[in-house]
């Protein structure tokens, strides 16, 4: 049987890294991307290829730049010919008071978190559409729906925009490519573990399940969305927040 291929952006840590290991364990070949810490990506590649006997292609570059996405697309066509699943996970966030946030930093967040999703969906989605098969899963956030922090105003705006992109690309690529978005709440990742303990305690108390999600819990649902078991869900935004 021909292996399926998945592209995962922001794969060096957190949810992206968890997704890479999960899809590899299911027999997928991988394309993993990040623009920071090439050594870490190489470490993940070696470990996954040893454990799961799949192929891992690294693309180290900024996918908010069109030339980089076109370069990645060319590499994918040469290596795998096709892509079955695209997971737009890469994003940045830097919390600070609005009065301290420069317009430059605001625009960098918008470019990283929105433009990358647009470009990857535009070019890789078109490849899927030509093959008449594919799944795109965009990682939004409850910050784009009902969780608001002025200290992350640019991040919140970007995640709301990802929801809009999801609806539009679902329409653009119908009926062959299913495009959905997962909007997680708090996840127990390296980044969130560095938050002030007072904030962690406050937010945990608001969650019905009284805990942050494990990355594996979110990853398993994303895998379901990418599978043939999920065949009639399209253009939807699914909150995974444990109740909030």
């Amino acid at each position: 049987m021909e292996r399926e291929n998945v592209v995962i952006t922001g794969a060096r840590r957190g949810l992206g890294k968890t997704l890479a290991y999960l899809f590899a364990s299911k027999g997928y070949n991988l394309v993993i991307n990040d623009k920071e810490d090439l050594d870490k990506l190489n470490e993940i590649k070696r470990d996954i290829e040893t454990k799961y006997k799949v192929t891992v292609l690294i693309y180290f570059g900024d996918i908010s730049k069109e030339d980089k996405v076109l370069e990645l697309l060319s590499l994918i066509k040469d290596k795998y010919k096709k892509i079955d699943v695209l997971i737009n996970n890469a994003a940045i966030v830097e919390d600070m008071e609005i009065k301290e946030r420069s317009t430059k930093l605001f625009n960098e967040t918008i470019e990283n978190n929105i433009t990358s999703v647009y470009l990857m969906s535009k070019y890789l989605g078109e490849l899927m559409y030509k093959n008449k098969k594919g799944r795109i899963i965009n990682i939004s956030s409850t910050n784009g729906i009902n969780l608001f922090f002025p200290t992350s105003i640019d991040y919140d705006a970007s995640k709301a925009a990802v929801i809009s992109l999801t609806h539009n690309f679902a329409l653009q690529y119908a009926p062959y490519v299913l495009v959905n978005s997962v909007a997680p709440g708090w996840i127990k990742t390296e980044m969130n573990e560095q938050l002030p303990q007072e904030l962690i305690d406050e937010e945990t108390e608001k969650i019905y399940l009284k805990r942050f999600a494990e990355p594996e819990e979110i990853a398993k649902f994303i895998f379901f969305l990418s599978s043939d078991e999920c065949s009639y869900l399209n253009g939807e935004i699914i909150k995974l927040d444990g109740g909030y």
Side-chain angles (χ1 to χ4, degrees), residues 87-221:
I87 303 174
N88 286 310
N89 171 70
I92 62 171
V93 60
E94 187 171 346
D95 292 342
M96 65 182 66
E97 297 297 329
I98 290 176
K99 63 183 179 181
E100 298 172 358
R101 187 179 300 281
S102 67
T103 303
K104 181 177 183 292
L105 179 57
F106 184 94
N107 287 336
E108 283 176 0
T109 302
I110 296 303
E111 187 174 71
N112 275 275
N113 296 6
I114 303 175
T115 306
S116 64
V117 175
Y118 166 71
L119 290 172
M120 293 290 285
S121 299
K122 176 181 178 179
Y123 289 111
L124 274 65
E126 184 179 5
L127 180 62
M128 293 179 186
Y129 186 79
K130 287 178 179 177
N131 290 331
K132 297 186 176 182
K133 180 179 184 292
R135 301 283 194 276
I136 298 175
I137 298 101
N138 296 323
I139 309 305
S140 180
S141 170
T142 52
N143 285 57
I145 301 174
N146 68 335
L147 190 65
F148 308 113
F149 290 100
T151 51
S152 59
I153 193 168
D154 49 354
Y155 177 82
D156 294 4
S158 73
K159 290 305 183 179
V162 166
I163 288 171
S164 179
L165 288 174
T166 299
H167 292 309
N168 278 292
F169 275 114
L171 181 59
Q172 175 71 17
Y173 292 136
Y176 303 122
V177 182
L178 303 186
V179 185
N180 292 291
S181 178
V182 173
W186 291 105
I187 308 174
K188 193 184 294 183
T189 60
E190 300 99 311
M191 182 173 65
N192 286 335
E193 286 172 352
Q194 296 172 8
L195 293 169
Q197 189 59 48
E198 182 180 0
L199 177 61
I200 292 174
D201 292 342
E202 287 176 359
E203 291 301 308
T204 299
E205 189 57 33
K206 296 175 186 176
I207 300 169
Y208 296 174
L209 298 184
K210 304 304 179 190
R211 63 180 179 85
F212 284 17
E214 297 293 337
E216 292 78 12
E217 293 177 294
I218 308 300
K220 287 175 183 177
F221 186 77

Side-chain angles (χ1 to χ4, degrees), residues 57-69:
L57 175 67
I58 290 175
Y59 185 73
F60 186 68
D62 184 355
I63 53 168
S64 70
K65 310 301 182 188
E66 190 165 21
D67 61 329
K68 298 297 184 182
V69 174

